[in-house]
Amino acid sequence: MEGLVNIFVRSVFIDNMVFAYFLGMCSYLAVSKTVSTANGLGIAVIFVLGITVPVNYLIENYFLSAGAMAWLGPGFEAVDLSFLSFIMFIAVIASMVQLVEMTVEKFAPALYSSLGIFLPLIAVNCAILGGSLFMQEREYANIAEAASFGLGSGVGFYLAIVGIAAIREKIRYSNVPGPLRGLGITFIVTGLMGIAFMSFMGIKL
Amino acid sequence: MKLLRKQIDKIKPHFQKGGRFEMLHSTFDAFETFLFVPDKVTSKGAHIRDSIDMKRTMAVVVAAMVPTLLFGMWNVGHQHFIATGIDAGFWQEFMHGLIRVMPIVVVSYVSGLAVEFIFAQIRGHEVNEGFLVTGMLIPLIVPVDVPLWMVAVATVFAVIIGKEVFGGTGMNILNPALTARAFLFFAYPTYMSGDFVWISGLLKGEGIVDGFSGATPLANASLGNIEAIPSSMAMFIGTIPGSIGETSTVAILIGALILWFTGVGSVKIMASVFVGGLVMGGILNIFAVNPFMEIPAWEHLIMGGFAFGAVYMATDPVTATQTERGKYIYGFLVGFLAILIRVLNPAYPEGMMLAILFMNVFAPLIDHNVMQANIKRRLKRAAAGTNK
């Protein structure tokens, strides 16, 4: 249990997807104009990451990695399908995003229209695929650890995107120099937020 | 006084529209309003007849920092003469500190104000007064042996990236002084941490007494040298190694009282920072597994830059939360995180700087949520009222 909490806290604050790895930048920059839409996208990302990472964990450990299919019988021990991992991960992510999209369209049409193209684009959000690939690389011991990592990464992304959305709402009326307006100042704010998030780097859990 | 006014009125036309030095009008304006309260009044709408404008507010904060500056100067000399083993009188110690600290203050003000004036000229707005406070804060939170060019580089970075790109005073997200400190900390770590930077002359090794350690109380605590930590009284008064202005809790409390009675600094934030620190310290005491975690919670409040950050940095009205309820949440989390980072993160000996920066980033989000909650509550009340 303690290990799960550690992984969760680690992936929210220390290995934050946005500020430690700078993944998922496109939707982070594009959908952070207002807090309410950022909120919606953040929750969608938490959901997608929280589902796809454990599902991909199962696929990885029972089908793809070398010798993973030994449970099927003695003839399958030598099978190594790890070259398929990218395509399998993306397939899972895409189907999950499809599900989220249909849910949002049905139950929150206002949010659906404000998220626009960025909702289906979660499928190619690097933070999501990054989550699955980190899961593969870090070799979590069981599915609970993978799920806790996925949820934690999602929450980390959520914090980042609502944080910058609130800042962008605040600086909307600031007298920012012309050339920096819009994306320029957002990049600078992101860098400054990265400095603030460095406060957690180095904590050993 | 009258003579000065006359002189200013005489040269004023040159700086106004159509004058010879029209392009320098913002520079002129800055000096004029610095010397005299501006006599501009609005012609319609609400009138607030009060001379407390931004310049005077900032001057109050600077005044509140004077006790820590004076004490810091004396302490710099005091520590220096302890380290070198020379017996020195009060004035000798103070003069040594004055000679060491003044250049840092001057460099910080000159480089920062230069950037401010350049930006004001280019962008055609008035010179922002906010730097009066920032320029004073930066010398107080650096180690005394920091090279002057580093102070200049960090100040310029903080003023440009931390403030001017957002449009100047009142628009910034992070506290500029802390941005400068964080810049120094991450760019030149060897000059900002360790046992040798806190006492003047130690880096060059000028005749140090054998066995003298310049480690700060926090550095000793994180290494587990509990017996090397000075007594609580020494830490409260401030005769310990540390950044120039942060050592003396007494001097900081005097500043806190000034800020409180003039209403310039938010006492809500100060109080909740201390409460947050106490709570986190208490939690760590309960689950203590090493000597650092066993340090009494209240002792954390007088170590390192905690008190300084709580009084002068966390209360920055621009980067803190604006809503009244948000101030409690913000302050509490600053104190809570500062102790958490300080004790649990071996990478940083002190957590106050990063805790405040972290909460600066999330202050707008806290404000947003407080306001949304308020809107929801009032809508509910309104709905209940109409249904009657």
Side-chain angles (χ1 to χ4, degrees), chain B residues 4-325:
Chain B
L4 193 63
R5 182 76 253 181
K6 239 183 210 163
Q7 283 298 320
I8 288 177
D9 285 340
K10 211 166 102 187
I11 59 171
K12 198 170 181 174
H14 293 308
F15 290 97
Q16 281 166 341
K17 238 187 161 72
R20 228 182 318 165
F21 303 114
E22 189 193 332
M23 52 176 293
L24 288 176
H25 76 94
S26 61
T27 311
F28 174 80
D29 186 69
F31 283 110
E32 192 200 359
T33 52
F34 188 75
L35 293 168
F36 294 99
V37 176
D39 53 359
K40 273 183 216 149
V41 283
T42 46
S43 52
K44 55 183 169 187
H47 297 275
I48 300 174
R49 296 190 187 279
D50 196 345
S51 296
I52 292 284
D53 58 353
M54 198 151 78
K55 250 171 205 150
R56 270 91 211 153
T57 315
M58 296 298 174
V60 169
V61 184
V62 172
M65 276 187 281
V66 166
T68 60
L69 180 70
L70 292 179
F71 187 91
M73 284 178 179
W74 172 75
N75 192 41
V76 164
H78 183 65
Q79 296 294 330
H80 173 76
F81 287 113
I82 290 179
T84 49
I86 299 169
D87 240 0
F90 174 80
W91 285 108
Q92 203 183 347
E93 290 177 338
F94 185 79
M95 282 317 287
H96 178 89
L98 185 73
I99 292 167
R100 297 306 308 257
V101 175
M102 263 341 252
I104 305 180
V105 179
V106 171
V107 165
S108 145
Y109 267 118
V110 168
S111 52
L113 283 177
V115 175
E116 288 270 0
F117 275 97
I118 292 170
F119 263 86
Q121 290 303 339
I122 294 173
R123 305 201 61 205
H125 60 61
E126 288 163 18
V127 174
N128 293 141
E129 297 87 344
F131 191 74
L132 285 179
V133 171
T134 311
M136 193 66 158
L137 276 172
I138 291 174
L140 291 178
I141 53 175
V142 294
V144 62
D145 252 4
V146 64
L148 291 178
W149 64 269
M150 281 185 197
V151 178
V153 171
T155 310
V156 170
F157 173 84
V159 174
I160 295 180
I161 300 294
K163 199 164 79 176
E164 286 300 337
V165 296
F166 293 101
T169 303
M171 314 284 190
N172 44 317
I173 302 297
L174 298 183
N175 186 320
L178 278 175
T179 313
R181 179 71 158 77
F183 175 82
L184 282 174
F185 186 84
F186 291 120
Y188 311 108
T190 46
Y191 287 91
M192 297 303 285
S193 50
D195 293 352
F196 299 112
V197 297
W198 307 108
I199 295 169
S200 79
L202 227 59
L203 264 184
K204 292 181 221 119
E206 291 166 356
I208 304 300
V209 184
D210 279 346
F212 181 83
S213 156
T216 60
L218 271 176
N220 277 324
S222 65
L223 290 174
N225 299 333
I226 296 299
E227 67 280 359
I229 298 177
S231 68
S232 318
M233 204 57 208
M235 290 196 286
F236 187 65
I237 295 173
T239 53
I240 49 171
S243 293
I244 294 166
E246 68 169 23
T247 57
S248 171
T249 313
V250 175
I252 292 166
L253 283 181
I254 296 173
L257 286 181
I258 296 176
L259 291 181
W260 185 0
F261 283 117
T262 53
V264 170
S266 162
V267 75
K268 284 178 190 168
I269 294 180
M270 289 183 215
S272 47
V273 171
F274 283 113
V275 170
L278 271 180
V279 168
M280 188 64 208
I283 293 174
L284 289 171
N285 284 163
I286 296 170
F287 297 103
V289 291
N290 61 30
F292 198 1
M293 289 166 82
E294 280 162 11
I295 290 174
W298 59 270
E299 210 162 74
H300 271 299
L301 307 187
I302 54 176
M303 286 169 113
F306 191 90
F308 190 87
V311 171
Y312 298 111
M313 310 275 219
T315 53
D316 176 356
V318 177
T319 56
T321 44
Q322 324 276 322
T323 50
E324 295 303 306
R325 191 169 312 168

Side-chain angles (χ1 to χ4, degrees), chain A residues 170 174-175 177 198-199 201-202, chain B residues 123 165-167 318 345 348 354:
Chain A
K170 184 184 169 188
S174 296
N175 180 17
M198 278 182 87
S199 47
M201 250 159 243
Chain B
R123 305 201 61 205
V165 296
F166 293 101
V318 177
N345 193 343
Y348 309 122
L354 288 164

Side-chain angles (χ1 to χ4, degrees), chain A residues 35 159 162-163 166-167 169-171 174-177 180 185 189 192-193 195-204, chain B residues 123 161 164-167 171-174 182 186 318 337 341 345-348 354 357-358 361-362 364-365 368:
Chain A
V35 176
L159 265 186
V162 290
I167 291 178
E169 279 196 0
K170 184 184 169 188
I171 61 175
S174 296
N175 180 17
V176 176
L180 281 176
I185 196 74
V189 172
L192 293 176
M193 289 174 83
I195 293 182
F197 262 82
M198 278 182 87
S199 47
F200 298 104
M201 250 159 243
I203 293 183
K204 288 188 190 78
Chain B
R123 305 201 61 205
I161 300 294
E164 286 300 337
V165 296
F166 293 101
M171 314 284 190
N172 44 317
I173 302 297
L174 298 183
F186 291 120
V318 177
L337 282 173
I341 297 169
N345 193 343
Y348 309 122
L354 288 164
L357 285 179
F358 189 79
V361 163
F362 283 105
L365 185 63
H368 178 88

Side-chain angles (χ1 to χ4, degrees), chain A residues 29-189:
Chain A
L29 292 171
V31 195
S32 57
K33 285 203 186 75
T34 60
V35 176
S36 53
T37 51
N39 205 12
L41 188 84
I43 290 170
V45 168
I46 293 180
F47 183 76
V48 172
L49 263 173
I51 303 260
T52 56
V53 173
V55 168
N56 282 337
Y57 178 86
L58 290 179
I59 293 176
E60 160 80 12
N61 281 291
Y62 289 99
F63 294 105
L64 296 178
S65 62
M69 289 214 281
W71 58 276
L72 273 178
F76 292 93
E77 270 150 10
V79 180
D80 180 3
L81 292 179
S82 44
F83 64 91
L84 282 180
S85 55
F86 282 113
I87 206 157
M88 287 305 290
F89 289 174
I90 277 291
V92 170
I93 289 166
S95 49
M96 212 58 239
V97 169
Q98 198 58 49
L99 197 69
V100 170
E101 198 189 341
M102 290 190 300
T103 320
V104 172
E105 191 179 9
K106 171 84 176 134
F107 294 106
L111 181 65
Y112 181 80
S113 58
S114 63
L115 286 176
I117 188 65
F118 288 98
L119 190 56
L121 276 184
I122 297 181
V124 287
N125 186 335
C126 33
I128 311 274
L129 182 61
S132 289
L133 294 176
F134 277 132
M135 174 273 297
Q136 191 183 29
E137 185 189 306
R138 290 178 190 161
E139 296 175 343
Y140 288 112
N142 52 45
I143 187 169
E145 284 190 0
S148 139
F149 165 73
L151 272 181
S153 301
V155 173
F157 185 88
Y158 173 82
L159 265 186
I161 198 170
V162 290
I164 197 164
I167 291 178
R168 286 181 77 173
E169 279 196 0
K170 184 184 169 188
I171 61 175
R172 184 164 306 149
Y173 303 104
S174 296
N175 180 17
V176 176
L180 281 176
R181 275 196 200 134
L183 270 188
I185 196 74
T186 315
F187 275 115
I188 290 176
V189 172

Side-chain angles (χ1 to χ4, degrees), chain B residues 325 370 372-382:
Chain B
R325 191 169 312 168
V370 168
Q372 291 302 321
N374 201 19
I375 290 170
K376 239 178 234 161
R377 203 176 47 245
R378 295 187 67 156
L379 273 179
K380 209 185 256 170
R381 201 191 305 157

